[in-house]
Amino acid sequence: TLPQKFDMVTCLQTLAYLENPEIALKNINKSLNKDGYFIVAVPNAKFEPIMANGKSAYKNRLHSFTLAQTEKMLKENGFNILEKFGQALSVKLFHREFEIIDAYDFSEKKVKSYYKNDKEYIEYFSRLFAYPVKGECQKSNSMIFICQKA
């Protein structure tokens, strides 16, 4: 029997941690039904913090991607890109938070005290910070692609 096929697969930031992301893309394509959808988010190389040794500041991250590189990789592995999104608002918000922390030398405990630990509050800020904006890939540390199997 054939392995199960899917109507949609999501892959959020995973490709950055794989030795060969193209193998994963080929396997994802094979696992999709005809006209199946693929939603993928990858880190934008433009915003990648690099250490003095040339490696990513994020532990175990092997790749970050440019917009052109990601588009090429998706197309070469059998995906049509339907839409592209960035999360530019989250970049601005997080940058602002770090500036406040640095300027006032808040302790981690003090900063965390500003955030309520209830479901509604967490859900609200999760949506706000992750707010995707169509076509904002070059202004975001995360690029999101909505694709369909070619």
Side-chain angles (χ1 to χ4, degrees), residues 79-91:
F79 296 101
N80 292 323
I81 300 169
L82 304 177
E83 294 187 86
K84 297 176 275 192
F85 296 88
Q87 295 172 297
L89 180 59
S90 68
V91 173

Side-chain angles (χ1 to χ4, degrees), residues 70-71 74-75 79-84 145-148:
T70 307
E71 290 173 333
L74 289 168
K75 289 174 185 174
F79 296 101
N80 292 323
I81 300 169
L82 304 177
E83 294 187 86
K84 297 176 275 192
F145 298 83
I146 311 300
C147 305
Q148 191 169 31

Side-chain angles (χ1 to χ4, degrees), residues 23-141:
I23 291 174
L25 290 173
K26 286 177 180 137
N27 288 329
I28 290 167
N29 189 290
K30 287 178 190 176
S31 72
L32 284 170
N33 285 321
K34 182 181 184 239
D35 297 327
Y37 291 93
F38 177 47
I39 300 172
V40 60
V42 296
N44 187 345
K46 183 177 177 180
F47 292 93
E48 184 77 6
I50 303 297
M51 297 187 305
N53 65 4
K55 293 189 177 194
S56 173
Y58 298 112
K59 187 178 180 181
N60 301 319
R61 185 177 283 176
L62 302 175
H63 308 279
S64 58
F65 304 90
T66 65
L67 178 60
Q69 176 187 20
T70 307
E71 290 173 333
K72 182 179 183 226
M73 185 172 64
L74 289 168
K75 289 174 185 174
E76 287 178 350
N77 287 284
F79 296 101
N80 292 323
I81 300 169
L82 304 177
E83 294 187 86
K84 297 176 275 192
F85 296 88
Q87 295 172 297
L89 180 59
S90 68
V91 173
K92 290 176 187 172
L93 290 171
F94 287 129
H95 183 70
R96 183 186 138 276
E97 293 298 323
F98 287 126
E99 284 180 353
I100 290 170
I101 293 166
D102 289 344
Y104 296 102
D105 196 28
F106 285 109
S107 67
E108 183 177 354
K109 182 178 180 183
K110 180 75 172 174
V111 172
K112 286 183 177 180
S113 73
Y114 292 115
Y115 300 101
K116 293 180 184 175
N117 192 17
D118 64 60
K119 184 182 178 208
E120 185 177 308
Y121 196 81
I122 292 169
E123 183 178 326
Y124 171 78
F125 276 98
S126 295
R127 287 183 182 173
L128 177 64
F129 290 148
Y131 186 75
V133 179
K134 194 171 186 175
E136 293 285 331
C137 292
Q138 296 292 43
K139 297 179 183 177
S140 173
N141 27 345

